[in-house]
Amino acid sequence: MRTKFKKQRFWIRWIIPALSVACFAYFGFHSWHGAYGLNSAEALEIRRVELTARLASLTERRQHLERKVMLLSDGAVEADMLDERARLLLNVAREDEVVYFN
């Protein structure tokens, strides 16, 4: 009985390893430099810290403004708040006063 042996080509056995290396290189590159990669994660973390600090300052300012509004709008207007608003809006002061605006 005769058998026919097919001569295997040299490059056929390197196809799967070459494709594997190419896939690993592609996904490795994009995991580092891609839109959702490690470099982007660092930039997003820095941005998160900046926005957290900004949120804290805006929250403090909002609370300050809410306190001022509460003094003006609860039915009984505080005399000093009324005096301050009138001087600020009308731009008036007595001759013996020194006015400092915040």
Side-chain angles (χ1 to χ4, degrees):
M1 175 162 147
R2 293 181 74 161
T3 59
K4 293 184 181 181
F5 288 103
K6 232 181 174 181
K7 184 176 179 184
Q8 296 225 351
R9 291 185 171 76
F10 174 74
W11 57 272
I12 289 180
R13 75 176 89 150
W14 292 102
I15 290 177
I16 292 177
L19 289 176
S20 299
V21 167
C23 287
F24 286 136
Y26 176 79
F27 288 115
F29 175 80
H30 287 288
S31 69
W32 187 264
H33 297 288
Y36 299 105
L38 296 174
N39 288 342
S40 297
E42 291 173 8
L44 287 174
E45 181 63 24
I46 292 170
R47 177 95 167 124
R48 185 191 65 82
V49 169
E50 291 172 356
L51 290 177
T52 302
R54 183 171 179 216
L55 176 65
S57 68
L58 289 175
T59 302
E60 181 181 330
R61 178 164 165 73
R62 179 186 172 122
Q63 289 173 350
H64 174 72
L65 291 173
E66 284 177 352
R67 282 192 302 269
K68 287 181 83 170
V69 167
M70 185 180 67
L71 290 173
L72 289 173
S73 66
D74 67 352
V77 177
E78 297 286 327
D80 60 338
M81 287 295 294
L82 180 62
D83 186 47
E84 176 187 341
R85 291 302 296 166
R87 288 171 190 264
L88 181 66
L89 294 175
L90 299 175
N91 198 18
V92 293
R94 292 191 299 244
E95 293 176 359
D96 61 342
E97 290 181 336
V98 177
V99 179
Y100 295 103
F101 291 110
N102 296 346

